[in-house]
Amino acid sequence: MTKRSSAGLYSPIERDVRLDFFRGIGLWMIFLDHIPHDVVGWLTLRNYGFSDAAEFFVFISGYLVGFIYVPIVKDGMFMAALKRLWRRAAQMYVAHIMLFLIFTAQIARTVRRFDNPMYEDEFNVHNFLQHPDILIGQALTLRYKPVNLDVLPLFITLIVAAPFIVWGLVRRPNLTLLLSVALYIPARIFDWNIASYPPGTTWYFNPFCWQLMFVFAAWCGTGQIEKYAHVIWSRLGMTIATLWLLFAFLIVMTWHVPALGALVPKWMIKVIYPIDKTDLDMLRLTHFFALAVIVTSIVSRDWKPLYTKWLHPAILCGRHSLPLFCVGVFLSFSAHWILTQFTKGVWEQLAVSLLGIVIMIGIGWVLDRASDVPDLFVQVLETDEPKPAVEVGVVPAVQIAKA
């Protein structure tokens, strides 16, 4: 580590391996969830509770923003934080556009090659293939998004707003969180959202609502959550979290076993439904919080299994979440195509799911090795005046040689 002159900007930050691990698990779950009717998808979180991998990623991103950038802004380096975060948002934007272009090309080629228009309708690319001149502009402004490409625009929006969220957390952390809640409530009541394409539609992930998860995570990343640790991780807090996870599990089981639905009182059905993902329903939000309470009580920073070879593949993937998310989108469509065109047998589902995860791990390993290779650069010094060839009072080496 380089020794740094500003404590916030240059102090070494210890990597929390847990975040990489859960991001890796989240990437695998997203890949599996994007394969329709895949038996391996039963391993993902959404089949056993209200929340899913989307909450994983938004929370971890927000937590890292608070943990890393609040000390930087405290040291007066707001512009440095803004530059770094907006550069990251630009990288996400470029990744999204490239993913959009390649993904639509992949679907178009599949439709033409196998003469099956089902794919263009299923993945919402029919309009693009019919009117690319119009839809490319809508895609560049993040209004038009094929299926499975909705989450990156949300992250771009949150990361663009992140410097100002951090600025608020530095000065008034609790007030900043309260303002986030104050935005979430009317956004749900009045259906505030960003317009999408075609006209009359909106973003699948409403940033006015999902910002609450992001801001709360950043608030936790600043250390504010530690003030309430004695309550949250108390016996009472753990009991409430466990009961809430059990309740969510029982409700979700009624989706898979319709006969169990008769056991749910009608008044409860009216209260809890619909459990809206677009506007981050409170049932999803609180379910994730309860899950986080239980998991963090078990998986500490020095949890020994994190440093074994068995969990290392997930950690590898979590270190390179952006490229592997993009790869996962392509792999999920490829797996869907294989199962649709050839066979949907259980063994085939197991094979394509396992192969996709193995490919993600392999790419993660390559990216990890590549990050160890030094970056070559040429440092160019800019000066106002040309430096004299011979400094005053110094005898040139040529004259010394002649003497």
Side-chain angles (χ1 to χ4, degrees):
M1 286 291 182
T2 305
K3 190 174 181 180
R4 306 173 177 183
S5 57
S6 173
L9 184 60
Y10 293 109
S11 296
I13 297 176
E14 182 182 357
R15 193 178 192 98
D16 193 337
V17 182
R18 294 177 300 177
L19 302 181
D20 292 329
F21 171 69
F22 288 121
R23 272 197 299 205
I25 295 295
L27 286 168
W28 296 350
M29 288 196 294
I30 290 175
F31 162 68
L32 296 173
D33 286 339
H34 285 174
I35 306 174
H37 313 297
D38 181 19
V39 66
V40 188
W42 279 94
L43 297 176
T44 64
L45 179 62
R46 71 175 183 177
N47 294 293
Y48 305 99
F50 299 139
S51 59
D52 58 25
E55 282 83 0
F56 267 63
F57 275 92
V58 174
F59 184 87
I60 291 174
S61 296
Y63 184 90
L64 287 173
V65 164
F67 181 69
I68 294 173
Y69 291 99
V70 163
I72 294 175
V73 175
K74 278 184 178 180
D75 277 2
M77 298 286 184
F78 174 79
M79 293 305 297
L82 183 143
K83 177 182 177 181
R84 180 66 185 89
L85 286 166
W86 281 12
R87 181 182 296 171
R88 181 60 173 172
Q91 293 172 347
M92 291 182 176
Y93 178 79
V94 172
H96 173 72
I97 298 302
M98 293 300 297
L99 177 62
F100 164 79
L101 294 174
I102 301 174
F103 185 60
T104 52
Q106 182 187 29
I107 295 174
R109 188 177 185 279
T110 302
V111 170
R112 184 173 62 254
R113 173 70 175 79
F114 295 92
D115 192 24
N116 190 343
M118 177 196 72
Y119 297 110
E120 62 183 33
D121 295 326
E122 185 177 0
F123 289 90
N124 189 30
V125 300
H126 176 76
N127 288 334
F128 178 79
L129 299 180
Q130 296 296 321
H131 307 284
D133 55 330
I134 298 175
L135 271 297
I136 192 66
Q138 299 294 335
L140 290 173
T141 56
L142 303 180
R143 290 167 58 88
Y144 169 67
K145 301 172 287 294
V147 174
N148 297 341
L149 269 65
D150 302 280
V151 71
L152 276 181
L154 171 67
F155 277 100
I156 293 168
T157 305
L158 294 175
I159 296 301
V160 167
F164 309 102
I165 295 172
V166 170
W167 184 87
L169 289 172
V170 168
R171 284 154 181 79
R172 295 288 187 274
N174 292 335
L175 177 60
T176 302
L177 181 59
L178 182 61
L179 290 175
S180 176
V181 175
L183 176 60
Y184 171 85
I185 294 174
R188 285 188 55 87
I189 294 175
F190 300 109
D191 293 326
W192 294 348
N193 202 340
I194 298 178
S196 188
Y197 188 91
T201 61
T202 55
W203 281 23
Y204 182 72
F205 289 96
N206 185 349
F208 297 115
C209 296
W210 279 84
Q211 55 79 29
L212 177 59
M213 173 71 80
F214 186 84
V215 174
F216 176 76
W219 180 84
C220 293
T222 64
Q224 296 296 319
I225 191 70
E226 296 175 4
K227 299 178 182 179
Y228 308 94
H230 64 285
V231 176
I232 296 173
W233 285 278
S234 65
R235 181 176 298 180
L236 176 61
M238 296 288 289
T239 301
I240 293 174
T242 303
L243 291 175
W244 187 240
L245 292 179
L246 179 60
F247 170 76
F249 173 78
L250 295 175
I251 293 296
V252 171
M253 285 301 102
T254 65
W255 306 347
H256 304 305
V257 184
L260 296 177
L263 303 177
V264 182
K266 293 183 178 180
W267 65 266
M268 184 178 293
I269 293 176
K270 293 180 180 179
V271 170
I272 66 176
Y273 291 113
I275 304 175
D276 189 14
K277 184 174 184 177
T278 294
D279 294 332
L280 188 59
D281 193 274
M282 285 302 300
L283 293 180
R284 294 181 63 97
L285 188 65
T286 53
H287 177 265
F288 176 80
F289 290 164
L291 183 64
V293 168
I294 299 299
V295 170
T296 53
S297 68
I298 299 172
V299 184
S300 60
R301 291 178 69 99
D302 56 352
W303 192 49
K304 290 184 179 180
L306 289 174
Y307 303 94
T308 62
K309 62 181 180 180
W310 304 109
L311 301 187
H312 190 62
I315 295 171
L316 269 180
C317 292
R319 289 176 183 170
H320 309 281
S321 56
L322 179 58
L324 286 181
F325 168 79
C326 298
V327 170
V329 171
F330 296 124
L331 291 175
S332 62
F333 175 76
S334 300
H336 178 39
W337 167 74
I338 292 172
L339 296 176
T340 301
Q341 292 294 139
F342 299 101
T343 178
K344 294 183 179 179
V346 173
W347 288 108
E348 289 80 1
Q349 294 176 40
L350 291 170
V352 297
S353 300
L354 180 60
L355 179 60
I357 292 176
V358 169
I359 291 174
M360 294 174 72
I361 295 171
I363 295 175
W365 182 86
V366 171
L367 293 174
D368 209 56
R369 298 287 78 76
S371 63
D372 294 335
V373 178
D375 293 324
L376 297 181
F377 66 93
V378 177
Q379 185 176 10
V380 179
L381 298 177
E382 296 183 4
T383 57
D384 295 332
E385 297 179 0
K387 187 175 180 180
V390 180
E391 297 182 8
V392 178
V394 178
V395 181
V398 176
Q399 295 182 10
I400 295 175
K402 289 182 178 179

